Amino acid sequence: MAATTFSGSVASIKSQGYIGNSAFHRDFGNSSLQLTAKRFKIDLGLSGKKHHWSRNTGSCLVQATFSQGTTVSDEVSTPVDSTTVEPIKKSREAALILIRHGESLWNEKNLFTGCVDVPLTRKGVEEAIEAGKRISNIPVDMIYTSALIRAQMTAMLAMTQHRRKKVPIVLHKESEQAESWSQIFSQETEKQCIPVVTAWQLNERIYGELQGLNKQETADKYGKEQVHEWRRSYDIPPPNGESLEMCAERAVAYFKEHIEPQLQAGKNVMIAAHGNSLRSIIMYLDKLTSQEVISLELSTGIPMLYIVKEEKYIRRGSPAAPSEPSVYAYTKNLARYRQKLDEMVH
């Protein structure tokens, strides 16, 4: 889209033609219009006067009306040269980063946590910062977290390490008042922010009557096999809790409805969530069976990277990653992004 300025007013001209090396420039009193085009026939109507410029093939009609509120409409015909090749459409590519939160205070105490809202330990904070270093060269346009503080802390701490230095801002859309109070009134500031969406659907699975209990004491009481069944089976929930299957229903449904459209639009997304909600999403991305997903282990604070292209998810990093931040196999687009960050620094 080309932008054209008329005495301080900006008009946009949508074009479907071919941009080449030939230039057309014409002054109209205090207004100036400049188009760069190749093989166009252009008719311009301004202030009752018609000005004409043409080339051999193709045509473009631009109708413009300029006043206090400037509007521009245009119609571009298909080039008449039958040998012209249509431009190749580039498929969108996006990065998807998945991070399991760092160690929580109840992880440290070996307690069943589930949906109890427990913060990170010092080690969990360090894990989140380390996760941020690993993804510091990967673009992030949007962040999704669960409604639980340990996932939100992980996302925020990770982004403090990003080289782009954009600020993650939690969106508050729970009410009109909350949305109004959290408005940003500077476009320049808004460009330097990353929206953060919190969703209960990404919460850890509910452990029901096990929440707050010591894992070892629970195993001693109910038996190791029973506790293992509650923790690792796909479709057997703990008392008054959720199974992995139940957790997957809400987490994957949310991913499909809210996150997937952003990825398909070319947005780079980070999700900071929990072991079971992330396992559910990975089950969908990697097309795992119910038996394969129950054996999937996710380390705390180790980001996983997927590339989304042509509606396919390609894993570029493993949960059992080495300690080096360069674990990820970059695509050309990610390599270019990293190069731009290097140029910004130097």
Side-chain angles (χ1 to χ4, degrees), residues 35 37 80 127 129 173 175 196 246 268 284 299 318 327-328:
L35 296 175
V80 296
E127 287 177 331
I129 291 171
K173 295 190 176 182
S175 68
V196 180
M246 294 161 71
N268 302 293
Y284 168 70
S299 301
S318 166
V327 57
Y328 306 109

Side-chain angles (χ1 to χ4, degrees), residues 140-167:
V140 178
D141 301 313
M142 291 195 72
I143 299 171
Y144 289 85
T145 79
S146 75
L148 303 175
I149 191 66
R150 57 192 185 271
Q152 295 174 22
M153 288 177 70
T154 299
M156 297 300 190
L157 289 166
M159 290 310 296
T160 65
Q161 303 303 304
H162 202 280
R163 294 176 67 194
R164 190 66 181 82
K165 300 302 180 186
K166 286 191 173 184
V167 179

Side-chain angles (χ1 to χ4, degrees), residues 20-188:
N21 297 322
S22 300
F24 169 70
H25 180 276
R26 187 61 187 252
D27 293 319
F28 299 91
N30 294 326
S31 301
S32 176
L33 169 65
Q34 181 169 337
L35 296 175
T36 302
K38 183 178 181 182
R39 298 184 182 275
F40 279 129
K41 175 181 178 183
I42 303 180
D43 291 308
L44 297 171
L46 289 172
S47 304
K49 297 180 181 180
K50 179 175 280 191
H51 300 265
H52 177 78
W53 179 79
S54 65
R55 288 295 296 264
N56 295 330
T57 59
S59 68
C60 171
L61 173 63
V62 180
Q63 297 172 328
T65 307
F66 304 98
S67 59
Q68 292 290 336
T70 304
T71 59
V72 174
S73 64
D74 71 300
E75 181 180 330
V76 183
S77 69
T78 304
V80 296
D81 186 352
S82 60
T83 62
T84 302
V85 179
E86 288 293 327
I88 299 172
K89 292 183 179 179
K90 293 184 178 179
S91 59
R92 286 193 176 99
E93 177 183 298
L96 171 63
I97 302 166
L98 306 180
I99 304 179
R100 183 186 177 190
H101 66 79
E103 182 189 65
S104 76
L105 286 166
W106 277 15
N107 291 146
E108 183 183 48
K109 293 178 180 295
N110 200 32
L111 303 179
F112 285 103
T113 310
C115 280
V116 181
D117 209 358
V118 180
L120 300 179
T121 60
R122 181 185 293 273
K123 178 184 176 183
V125 169
E126 292 170 355
E127 287 177 331
I129 291 171
E130 179 60 30
K133 292 177 181 177
R134 290 172 181 268
I135 61 167
S136 62
N137 294 305
I138 301 173
V140 178
D141 301 313
M142 291 195 72
I143 299 171
Y144 289 85
T145 79
S146 75
L148 303 175
I149 191 66
R150 57 192 185 271
Q152 295 174 22
M153 288 177 70
T154 299
M156 297 300 190
L157 289 166
M159 290 310 296
T160 65
Q161 303 303 304
H162 202 280
R163 294 176 67 194
R164 190 66 181 82
K165 300 302 180 186
K166 286 191 173 184
V167 179
I169 303 290
V170 177
L171 301 182
H172 288 281
K173 295 190 176 182
E174 57 268 26
S175 68
E176 288 185 11
Q177 187 179 63
E179 191 170 2
S180 175
W181 284 0
S182 59
Q183 272 187 289
I184 299 171
F185 292 94
S186 166
Q187 289 185 354
E188 194 58 37

